[in-house]
Amino acid sequence: MNYELFDVIVIGSGIGGLVTATQLAAKGAKVLVLERYLIPGGSAGYFQHQGYTFDVGASMIFGLGNKGTTNLLTHALEAVNLHIESITDPVQIHYHLPNGLNLKVDRDYEKFLQNLIAYFPNEEKGIRSFYDECQKVFNSLNSIELLSLEELGYVLRVFFQHPLACLGLAKYLPQNAGDVARRYIKDPLLLKFIDIECYCWSVVPANMTPMINAGMVFSDRHYGGVNYPKGGVGQIAQKLVEGLEKAGGQIQYQARVTKILTEQGRAIGVQLANGKVYHGKRIVSNATRWDTFEKLLPADKIPANEKNWQQQYKKSPSFLSLHIGVKAYVLPAVTECHHILLEDWQNMELARGTIFVSIPTLLDPDLAPTGYHIIHAFTPDWITDWQGLTPTEYAEKKEQAAGEIIDRLEQIFPGLDAGLDYMEVGTPLTHRRFLGRVDGTYGPIPKRKLWGLLAMPFNRTAIPNLYCVGDSTFPGQGLNAVAFSGFACAHRIAVDLGL
């Protein structure tokens, strides 16, 4: 062989891909990461303009705490001897909901429960029972090292070390959060609140959200907490790349993979848009499953189990994003970093129904010029609404959509329009173009109610030597979840390579 052979080639430098790469490089594997864009991070990337540093995606970050086993971003950085300074957020979300439901999810667990019970005094017992059950799930997760459930040696070892925790988790694997909530809660408005508690990170209501994921999110916010990385979310990926290179791994930018190469049914390498070919013993795709199996592999190579998966899951919507620079006086004296705005429960799951807001400069003022704040407002939207437009129509539609969102945000921040300094509008087409995600999708969501997390695929695929990582794999969306996927993928590959 006269070509260079890598142990592992990772397609894409999202957080799942980078965690896989750094874990393996730290174990001595020869790793190459290929990234189509100019910087790493994917949805956890950043861009800069006129003195502002904007996060591409959300800035509500779990996994940067300093205790327990579930702080996976912290552990991923520690594996390559790095640390990131972070700022604690005292409130996870400030909800602005119909029926006058104006509620803050305080970092302090008891304070949050009291806030919610004040609105639903007759449901105190149900509220405590539901969220306490979420804590049970979290405590089980938080007592074990989170690695690949596909590796029998690890599963047996963990079971013998923590039998009760494992049995507890096994019990919740087939359950959804909505089923558990309905055991304890009867008030339809309170159940709607549990729905949006799930929707704000899973993009589906509670009856479609796995209980394992809900237990993680609803409890870790009061344990490890929401912590914002100093310098912006993009710092997480930048640090992981620094660690990758220190450990001897490589990353190439503007290296768009167009084909996964196979020989006798096994993955053996990749081809770039410029024709360059790289060979690897193991190939990891951090692209979505649709991109992996419908674009990077020949259409006739889609395995049957992937077709089955596509019967169960569909693409979630993309997002319409407003990245805004605004004069500081626009924000009231006591303003939280994260907000969710919904005026009508009927619209929660519709395009542009729910508005998510991040104001990271409340935690890290250095991201904006002095006297200004960043507001990142985003709302689910479908790519089909933005296709087939002329450049003029596209620009006009963007302006109109931005105007409508700003009008709605004025309910929370009066004078926002007058205080605007800078605005960039991103559509689902923008997400597709810069993040390389099919239709700009946020990730997979169930087509119908499924058995909790049981339908989510692990990292190995039906094609030998090809693995998937990221939000198309167990346990799903969110930075901490894709970090879990990265740990699991790296562990599985390390065992397969005998590292």
Side-chain angles (χ1 to χ4, degrees):
M1 279 185 197
N2 59 0
Y3 55 73
E4 188 176 12
L5 181 66
F6 291 90
D7 290 319
V8 183
I9 296 172
V10 181
I11 303 165
S13 68
I15 297 299
L18 286 176
V19 170
T20 304
T22 48
Q23 286 287 304
L24 288 164
K27 290 178 169 78
K30 186 177 179 184
V31 180
L32 172 65
V33 178
L34 298 168
E35 168 54 50
R36 61 184 281 149
Y37 192 47
L38 306 165
I39 57 163
S43 304
Y46 70 97
F47 67 97
Q48 293 172 310
H49 215 275
Q50 293 182 12
Y52 294 98
T53 299
F54 292 104
D55 298 324
V56 168
S59 54
M60 190 190 299
I61 307 301
F62 293 91
L64 279 177
N66 53 17
K67 54 183 183 174
T69 64
T70 59
N71 295 303
L72 296 171
L73 296 172
T74 299
H75 292 317
L77 290 162
E78 284 171 350
V80 282
N81 301 312
L82 288 169
H83 169 75
I84 204 164
E85 189 186 339
S86 63
I87 304 137
T88 298
D89 193 347
V91 168
Q92 183 214 5
I93 298 176
H94 184 175
Y95 285 108
H96 309 263
L97 302 174
N99 311 91
L101 193 49
N102 190 309
L103 180 87
K104 294 182 183 183
V105 179
D106 200 275
R107 186 182 175 118
D108 180 273
Y109 182 54
E110 184 57 33
K111 199 167 169 186
F112 159 62
L113 292 182
Q114 294 290 354
N115 288 349
L116 188 55
I117 289 162
Y119 280 97
F120 302 99
N122 296 337
E123 288 278 15
E124 175 169 4
K125 188 171 179 231
I127 288 169
R128 288 188 180 278
S129 298
F130 171 67
Y131 285 103
D132 283 354
E133 191 141 351
C134 291
Q135 296 273 347
K136 283 183 198 165
V137 174
F138 177 74
N139 291 339
S140 295
L141 283 167
N142 200 31
S143 64
I144 60 180
E145 190 184 9
L146 301 175
L147 294 172
S148 177
L149 299 179
E150 293 183 281
E151 206 271 289
L152 189 60
Y154 158 76
V155 173
L156 291 172
R157 187 172 75 249
V158 167
F159 183 79
F160 286 120
Q161 288 169 343
H162 309 279
L164 293 177
C166 291
L167 289 170
L169 289 174
K171 175 180 129 184
Y172 289 110
L173 267 175
Q175 298 189 52
N176 289 318
D179 300 324
V180 178
R182 280 173 173 76
R183 268 181 230 152
Y184 302 116
I185 293 166
K186 297 288 174 280
D187 188 307
L189 182 55
L190 179 53
L191 289 169
K192 290 245 187 268
F193 176 73
I194 306 283
D195 276 337
I196 201 160
E197 277 261 84
C198 291
Y199 183 79
C200 71
W201 47 271
S202 70
V203 210
V204 285
N207 70 337
M208 310 268 271
T209 299
M211 183 62 182
I212 297 265
N213 299 42
M216 183 86 163
V217 174
F218 294 161
S219 305
D220 194 27
R221 62 190 182 185
H222 308 293
Y223 180 82
V226 175
N227 300 283
Y228 188 77
K230 185 133 184 60
V233 173
Q235 288 298 311
I236 301 170
Q238 298 279 3
K239 286 271 188 191
L240 286 169
V241 167
E242 184 187 329
L244 171 71
E245 293 180 330
K246 273 188 186 167
Q250 298 175 44
I251 185 166
Q252 283 185 27
Y253 298 106
Q254 292 183 289
R256 184 165 70 89
V257 174
T258 53
K259 195 182 285 185
I260 293 169
L261 304 174
T262 58
E263 195 173 86
Q264 295 174 330
R266 308 175 83 80
I268 59 156
V270 298
Q271 185 175 325
L272 304 188
N274 63 7
K276 194 162 174 57
V277 167
Y278 292 99
H279 291 87
K281 297 177 189 172
R282 299 291 187 275
I283 311 299
V284 180
S285 176
N286 192 193
T288 71
R289 289 191 101 81
W290 293 281
D291 287 299
T292 303
F293 289 98
E294 293 176 4
K295 294 184 179 175
L296 299 181
L297 287 160
D300 59 353
K301 291 277 195 300
I302 300 178
N305 66 337
E306 288 302 323
K307 290 177 182 166
N308 292 342
W309 181 80
Q310 291 186 15
Q311 296 300 313
Q312 295 182 305
Y313 285 87
K314 63 182 179 181
K315 298 173 203 124
S316 74
S318 183
F319 283 100
L320 176 71
S321 289
L322 270 60
H323 290 92
I324 301 169
V326 65
K327 294 191 171 92
Y329 73 76
V330 167
L331 300 183
V334 180
T335 302
E336 304 305 341
C337 179
H338 298 105
H339 300 257
I340 284 185
L341 172 64
L342 176 66
E343 300 90 343
D344 184 342
W345 287 115
Q346 301 291 323
N347 296 341
M348 183 183 87
E349 294 182 74
L350 300 183
R352 303 190 210 171
T354 304
I355 298 180
F356 304 78
V357 179
S358 291
I359 313 172
T361 39
L362 291 168
L363 301 173
D364 185 358
D366 295 343
L367 300 172
T370 307
Y372 292 87
H373 277 295
I374 282 169
I375 296 179
H376 177 200
F378 49 106
T379 183
D381 206 354
W382 295 100
I383 199 165
T384 45
D385 293 341
W386 293 90
Q387 288 170 321
L389 303 174
T390 66
T392 307
E393 288 168 340
Y394 183 63
E396 285 171 356
K397 185 163 179 155
K398 283 209 300 188
E399 194 175 332
Q400 182 192 349
E404 288 167 5
I405 289 173
I406 286 169
D407 285 348
R408 290 170 66 189
L409 290 177
E410 291 241 350
Q411 297 171 52
I412 317 175
F413 310 120
L416 172 63
D417 198 17
L420 279 182
D421 173 59
Y422 173 84
M423 183 167 72
E424 188 78 52
V425 183
T427 72
L429 292 173
T430 319
H431 282 262
R432 184 177 69 183
R433 179 181 166 203
F434 288 104
L435 304 180
R437 294 178 67 86
V438 60
D439 295 344
T441 181
Y442 173 65
I445 55 174
K447 283 187 178 179
R448 58 185 180 281
K449 188 176 172 185
L450 298 172
W451 289 86
L453 262 183
L454 290 180
M456 265 313 241
F458 293 120
N459 302 103
R460 283 191 293 191
T461 72
I463 294 173
N465 301 343
L466 175 64
Y467 304 73
C468 284
V469 75
D471 55 26
S472 291
T473 60
F474 184 95
Q477 283 120 339
L479 280 200
N480 212 26
V482 297
F484 180 180
S485 158
F487 274 99
C489 190
H491 174 71
R492 179 66 261 178
I493 291 172
V495 171
D496 292 347
L497 288 174
L499 294 174

